[in-house]
Amino acid sequence: MADKVEITWHGHACFTLDFGKKVLIDPFIDGNPKAKIKKEDVKTDLVVVTHGHSDHLGDAVEIARNNKAPIVTFVELGWMLGAENGDLDIRAINYSGSTVVDGITVTAVHALHSSSVDGKYAGNPAGMVISDGITVYHAGDTGVFGDMSIISDLYHPDISLLPIGGFYTMSPYEATYAVGLLKSPYIIPMHYNTFDLIKVDAQKFKKETEEKHQVNVIVPEVEEVVKIDRQELGKR
């Protein structure tokens, strides 16, 4: 059980969670105008993909192969990837389904969005709850939905990574409402300012959300490492 997690934002919706073992989520690096790393340099123990859109699936297959790392994703997308990449260890889970990799539990939860690969239907989108003593909820691409309160009740995410860019996902307005449903003490915004269509003021989101809810909103720079330990969270 990890005593801390180090969270690195690679731009857009791509993060590394380091519990001692590293989890890479939605690795859109090649073609990401905000990325400062190269896909060839990424080191990870596990790759998690929320849905099939190219700005989330991204470089997952190549990075997983380079690192001999499993991929955890939603079931239909997992089947598609497995059919094309038989050498990879792909864990294709469904809603409320979990898998454990190196002591890290990944659970698929609802997301209000869509999912496709090169125009082909790729099953449902998902959020992912990732836990090793500290629990991180990566919402994927989503609109706000009332059952975020169920995610709060069942999984008690300590840190929620939420899209705020609007157009394809929640805007800051909806994301602030989602924070009230999730009740996570720490919030990190994502999926904004990558392209003109999703330009928003993350500092304004931070100010308004912290004023409305008793939470800490952290707005990291790309490649900044955010360290959160269990003592700060008051975990048992």
Side-chain angles (χ1 to χ4, degrees):
M1 184 177 291
D3 292 324
K4 65 178 181 179
V5 62
E6 296 184 354
I7 302 173
T8 305
W9 184 44
H10 303 301
H12 204 55
C14 181
F15 291 85
T16 292
L17 312 180
D18 189 347
F19 298 96
K21 296 286 187 176
K22 292 183 177 181
V23 181
L24 179 69
I25 312 170
D26 283 0
F28 172 47
I29 296 170
D30 193 15
N32 178 355
K34 299 296 183 182
K36 295 183 178 180
I37 57 173
K38 296 180 180 179
K39 60 185 178 181
E40 296 83 5
D41 297 330
V42 173
K43 303 299 180 188
T44 193
D45 299 290
L46 173 62
V47 178
V48 174
V49 179
T50 61
H51 65 290
H53 291 158
S54 60
D55 59 328
H56 294 262
L57 175 59
D59 307 295
V61 168
E62 184 174 344
I63 290 171
R65 184 172 285 123
N66 290 346
N67 287 271
K68 296 181 173 58
I71 296 176
V72 177
T73 191
F74 204 72
V75 60
E76 285 86 1
L77 178 58
W79 291 341
M80 291 174 71
L81 296 178
E84 298 169 358
N85 304 279
D87 58 314
L88 296 182
D89 177 3
I90 297 176
R91 316 287 179 91
I93 57 176
N94 213 317
Y95 291 136
S96 298
S98 300
T99 187
V100 180
V101 180
D102 287 333
I104 297 168
T105 301
V106 183
T107 303
V109 295
H110 185 61
L112 193 62
H113 193 60
S114 57
S115 180
S116 60
V117 177
D118 297 329
K120 298 177 182 178
Y121 175 69
N124 291 329
M128 295 290 181
V129 178
I130 301 162
S131 185
D132 183 8
I134 297 169
T135 301
V136 181
Y137 165 51
H138 186 294
D141 277 3
T142 192
V144 66
F145 55 95
D147 286 352
M148 285 179 170
S149 62
I150 295 177
I151 295 171
S152 174
D153 289 344
L154 287 177
Y155 305 110
H156 310 291
D158 301 300
I159 305 150
S160 287
L161 314 177
L162 300 180
I164 66 166
F167 200 85
Y168 300 108
T169 69
M170 296 185 290
S171 72
Y173 176 70
E174 289 91 4
T176 295
Y177 185 87
V179 169
L181 297 174
L182 289 162
K183 300 181 176 65
S184 298
Y186 287 88
I187 305 295
I188 299 177
M190 64 174 181
H191 207 279
Y192 68 95
N193 291 0
T194 318
F195 312 106
D196 287 345
L197 282 174
I198 56 172
K199 282 190 174 179
V200 299
D201 185 342
Q203 291 298 330
K204 182 180 178 184
F205 166 74
K206 171 182 169 69
K207 180 176 184 296
E208 292 180 352
T209 301
E210 289 183 339
E211 286 175 353
K212 192 175 180 86
H213 305 290
Q214 292 185 331
V215 297
N216 299 287
V217 178
I218 300 171
V219 182
E221 298 294 328
V222 175
E223 295 306 314
E224 178 183 352
V225 179
V226 174
K227 299 179 182 180
I228 299 174
D229 64 39
R230 284 166 57 83
Q231 288 184 335
E232 293 172 1
L233 296 166
K235 296 289 285 187
R236 294 189 298 273

